[in-house]
Amino acid sequence: MKRGDRLMVPEAEFRSYYGRPVLKRPVWKVPDVPAYLYLGGLAGASSTMALCADLTGRRRLARSGRLAAAVGATASVGALIHDLGRPARFLNMLRVLKPTSPLSVGSWILAPFSALSGAGAASEITGRLPALGRAAATTAGVIAPAMTTYTAVLLADTAVPGWHAAYRELPFLFAGSAVSSAGAVGMLAAPAESGPARRMAVAGAALEFAAGRSMHQRTGLVGEVYRQGRAGAAWRAARVLTGLGAGAALFAGRSRPAVIVSGLCLTAGAVATRYAIFEAGRASVSDPRYTVVPQRDRLDARR
Amino acid sequence: MDSNRLSGPLADPAGEAGYPSDHPDRVGFFTDTSVCIGCKACEVACKEWNLLPEDGLDLTGMSYDNTGALGATTWRHVAFVEQHGSTGSTVDLGMPGMGEDQVRWLMSSDVCKHCTHAACLDVCPTGALIRTEYGTVLVQDDVCNGCGYCVPACPYGVIDIRPDTGGAAKCTMCQDRLGAGLMPACATACPTESIQYGPLDELRDRAGQRVAELHDQGITEARLYGHDPADGVGGDGAFFLLLDEPEVYGLPPDPVVTTRDLPSMWRHAAGAALTAAAVIVGCFVGGKR
């Protein structure tokens, strides 16, 4: 290049087509999809919490868990439908079952789960058909753990570098976040029986932190997207909120204000976590560096 | 699930998809960018034949390429790569020279790759994306739910959602022309035969010969891209002869069908789900109210 010539693109250590993205940005909307991720996780872990509470004779916690599961699952379906545009499209998701499509598998988890947890909650509220309601809630509680992690596969099974590179850790991160979210709701709704919910809040947060740490260490260059910009800010906010919430849950005991602070912090933290992950994926697509550099390194290593 | 159905070489995608053994040969595109003159006849012919709307008349400001990228209504995209300095040679097309300060123009018509293992097809939850009898990948407009899952799944960034219809759209390899024994519109319109259409095996032979010919002429930077059935997508139904690294043209250097890792993803998800269940149960065991 001669002196005085103007660079068409900023000089970079990798080459690309005028700095344009290689991949297409996900068309999924905010807040629809982050909300869908949070609500699905909350519903799943709440349902299993309700089942355990029921079996150990904690009626109020069981009731709160069943209601949270039904509300979470229904709202999750609502968020998905809003993203799709119209209700018929959710039903159309069920026209086939495709094991290679996490969205198809997920729809087949979400649809029966939301129906069963809805039935369980309806029976809980009305007091009608208690045996059937309990059977529905129990079945929901058994399939519920799948609700907490399938969405991680949904994101990871894409070419989006920030999501695909983290496919081993994302399910554990989502599982941990879901458990602490459900713990938060249990603490808020059933203070008298909140012992297990408090332990869930703490244990879930610990699992989430451990998975997040491992994700950072393993994802290399692509992991940058979780530390920078909007995604980085949301991620840091999520760490602080979840840490505060878990700390408060650990020492809350029966203190009502501490329980409320903890529950709200954990909920906000879980929402922020989902948003951060969603946004990090979008950021990793917008900059061709995250597509080209790891692939180029892989290719050069093979040569 | 046979691993070969998710990744790796696969001789007959149409047969694997369930078409009887008398299905037509797998067809494809071989785009030889060394003879592309950037005339955009392919872009225009594609839009004309497939009734695709214009994408707006905004200038990108980055080069003479004002289309920018493939998209839901751009199924052929001609990249214009402007390189300064001695960055290699081109086939002499008799274009006016630029003196001592060499400017090299690389032009390349990009298109959907019609992958042997197509991530868009794999992740589609409704079965709207199908493998055709010709081994190509097609969106069935009436089945598509517009969920957009195929969009981030494509390792080449090809498929997108059309705002006007809400459905996913990309190159069909002119499925409607193939049935009538015609070539795709882009290949028909290409004046330099940069876009070649035909049975994939034949195109691969022809491409091999062309690379050897260019290497003999001293154009050592000539290389094929997407031709290898052992690559991350099982080889492309549309492959290219390039004169520089793929990323220079906006192509990923080593794309992989994301579904290759799906069994491992489901295993991790199952492990995490069991962990969640164990943690919740553990929180109820032995504790106080």
Side-chain angles (χ1 to χ4, degrees), chain A residues 2 7 15 55 91 116 129 150 171 194 196 241 266 268-269 271 276 283:
Chain A
K2 261 190 355 191
L7 272 171
R15 298 199 289 168
L55 293 174
L91 292 178
L116 286 167
L129 305 170
Y150 88 80
S194 67
L241 287 164
L266 286 169
V271 172

Side-chain angles (χ1 to χ4, degrees), chain A residues 264-277:
Chain A
L264 293 179
C265 281
L266 286 169
T267 301
V271 172
T273 297
R274 297 319 198 290
Y275 174 72
I277 290 167

Side-chain angles (χ1 to χ4, degrees), chain A residues 4-192:
Chain A
D5 276 1
R6 198 165 55 88
L7 272 171
M8 298 304 285
V9 289
E11 203 142 22
E13 67 269 31
F14 77 105
R15 298 199 289 168
S16 73
Y17 185 61
Y18 299 99
R20 294 179 70 87
V22 174
L23 303 173
K24 286 270 179 293
R25 198 175 150 94
V27 291
W28 298 326
K29 296 190 272 287
V30 173
D32 303 9
V33 170
Y36 164 76
L37 301 175
Y38 162 73
L39 292 165
L42 167 71
S46 297
S47 181
T48 305
M49 177 177 80
L51 174 57
C52 292
D54 190 32
L55 293 174
T56 56
R58 295 174 170 90
R59 274 306 305 151
R60 197 163 154 76
L61 188 60
R63 182 183 166 87
S64 332
R66 281 182 193 176
L67 294 182
V71 169
T74 310
S76 179
V77 171
L80 179 58
I81 287 172
H82 190 257
D83 193 60
L84 288 172
R86 54 174 181 265
R89 285 185 167 171
F90 179 69
L91 292 178
N92 202 27
M93 286 285 181
L94 305 173
R95 72 184 285 274
V96 288
L97 172 58
K98 261 179 82 173
T100 61
S101 172
L103 189 50
S104 171
V105 175
S107 299
W108 279 101
I109 295 171
L110 179 58
F113 175 81
S114 51
L116 286 167
S117 57
S123 160
E124 184 76 54
I125 294 168
T126 59
R128 298 242 178 119
L129 305 170
L132 268 181
R134 188 167 187 227
T138 302
T139 314
V142 171
I143 58 173
M147 279 287 292
T148 65
T149 60
Y150 88 80
T151 46
V153 183
L154 181 68
L155 295 188
D157 192 22
T158 59
V160 173
W163 294 338
H164 188 84
Y167 81 80
R168 293 177 183 82
E169 292 85 7
L170 274 185
F172 289 93
L173 204 149
F174 277 36
S177 184
V179 170
S180 73
S181 313
V185 168
M187 284 162 64
L188 290 172

Side-chain angles (χ1 to χ4, degrees), chain B residues 98-120:
Chain B
M98 298 290 283
E100 281 304 300
D101 177 29
Q102 285 292 312
V103 175
R104 178 168 87 148
W105 279 102
L106 299 177
M107 292 153 194
S108 168
S109 180
D110 195 11
V111 69
C112 168
K113 314 300 178 293
H114 296 277
C115 308
T116 301
H117 296 285
C120 58

Side-chain angles (χ1 to χ4, degrees), chain A residues 17 24 95 98 101 298, chain B residues 65 70 121 123 126 149 254:
Chain A
Y17 185 61
K24 286 270 179 293
R95 72 184 285 274
K98 261 179 82 173
S101 172
R298 196 162 67 201
Chain B
D65 171 12
L70 290 173
L121 196 163
V123 304
T126 60
Y149 201 0
D254 186 32

Side-chain angles (χ1 to χ4, degrees), chain B residues 61-73:
Chain B
M62 64 182 189
S63 80
Y64 289 100
D65 171 12
N66 292 315
T67 308
L70 290 173
T73 51

